Amino acid sequence: EPEVTQTPSHQVTQMGQEVILRCVPISNHLYFYWYRQILGQKVEFLVSFYNNEISEKSEIFDDQFSVERPDGSNFTLKIRSTKLEDSAMYFCASSYGTGGSPLHFGNGTRLTVT
Amino acid sequence: QKEVEQNSGPLSVPEGAIASLNCTYSDRGSQSFFWYRQYSGKSPELIMSIYSNGDKEDGRFTAQLNKASQYVSLLIRDSQPSDSATYLCAVNLRGGADGLTFGKGTHLIIQP
């Protein structure tokens, strides 16, 4: 069964550094998403991406964050100048269609900012 | 403000019994509803989707939707210890490429 893959599984970085989280969505999916989950809290929407541009972003997704689809398979989330409160599990997800289609999640990247 | 509410639990159910998980949502315009299962430290895994009022069954799982009451539920029959996890209710407001809004999840414990 096709799946969403994320790398790395765990990233440790120092405060103020830039990190790039990588994702390979399911190949025939058209919509891509990033979510995050702070330990013990709920899964929060960050951004959705379609046709090489951002479709929607939440209040969390400020100028510190950016997304990119640099080639036909990868989808990346860049966090500039990381803060302690950015420590969380970051999930990439993809779906074939619009909001009515189920999202399929990757295994996540655990980001630890020290 | 879009909100999805769930009782955080823990909900403890004996093995073999029916587990009933509930979710309410604030936005009457919501159109798509999903249940995900999340094991500790793992990613959400899709269990069921439901789009219209009534019941939808898939194996041991039944999702129920009542849009008038803004209420969606998940029943797990013949509960197994492997069903012990956090169950996340997720709602999509419109038919576009909007993100899902998740509830905090209900922690379910199946007692052998």
Side-chain angles (χ1 to χ4, degrees), chain B residues 11-91:
Chain B
L11 174 65
S12 186
V13 173
E15 183 177 356
I18 296 175
S20 178
L21 305 163
N22 304 314
C23 171
T24 58
Y25 57 95
S26 62
D27 198 313
R28 191 169 288 277
S30 302
Q31 297 180 359
S32 306
F33 308 86
F34 305 89
W35 284 99
Y36 285 83
R37 178 174 62 198
Q38 187 177 33
Y39 294 112
S40 180
K42 303 296 185 182
S43 62
E45 173 191 7
L46 179 70
I47 297 176
M48 296 278 291
S49 59
I50 187 166
Y51 306 99
S52 54
N53 283 328
D55 294 0
K56 179 181 177 182
E57 186 175 318
D58 184 0
R60 296 187 297 113
F61 299 96
T62 299
Q64 300 174 317
L65 175 61
N66 184 326
K67 289 186 178 179
S69 300
Q70 295 176 233
Y71 176 92
V72 58
S73 65
L74 179 70
L75 301 177
I76 306 174
R77 288 182 299 281
D78 187 24
S79 297
Q80 302 297 309
S82 59
D83 294 327
S84 297
T86 297
Y87 287 80
L88 310 178
C89 175
V91 177

Side-chain angles (χ1 to χ4, degrees), chain A residues 38-78:
Chain A
I38 296 170
L39 187 64
Q41 298 188 23
K42 64 180 178 181
V43 177
E44 299 175 291
F45 169 72
L46 293 178
V47 65
S48 59
F49 192 87
Y50 169 71
N51 200 25
N52 285 320
E53 61 183 23
I54 291 174
S55 298
E56 186 185 15
K57 58 184 180 180
S58 71
E59 295 173 350
I60 303 168
F61 193 89
D62 59 21
D63 292 342
Q64 179 195 11
F65 294 90
S66 62
V67 290
E68 191 178 32
R69 188 158 165 82
D71 53 43
S73 59
N74 290 286
F75 179 49
T76 63
L77 174 68
K78 181 188 291 185

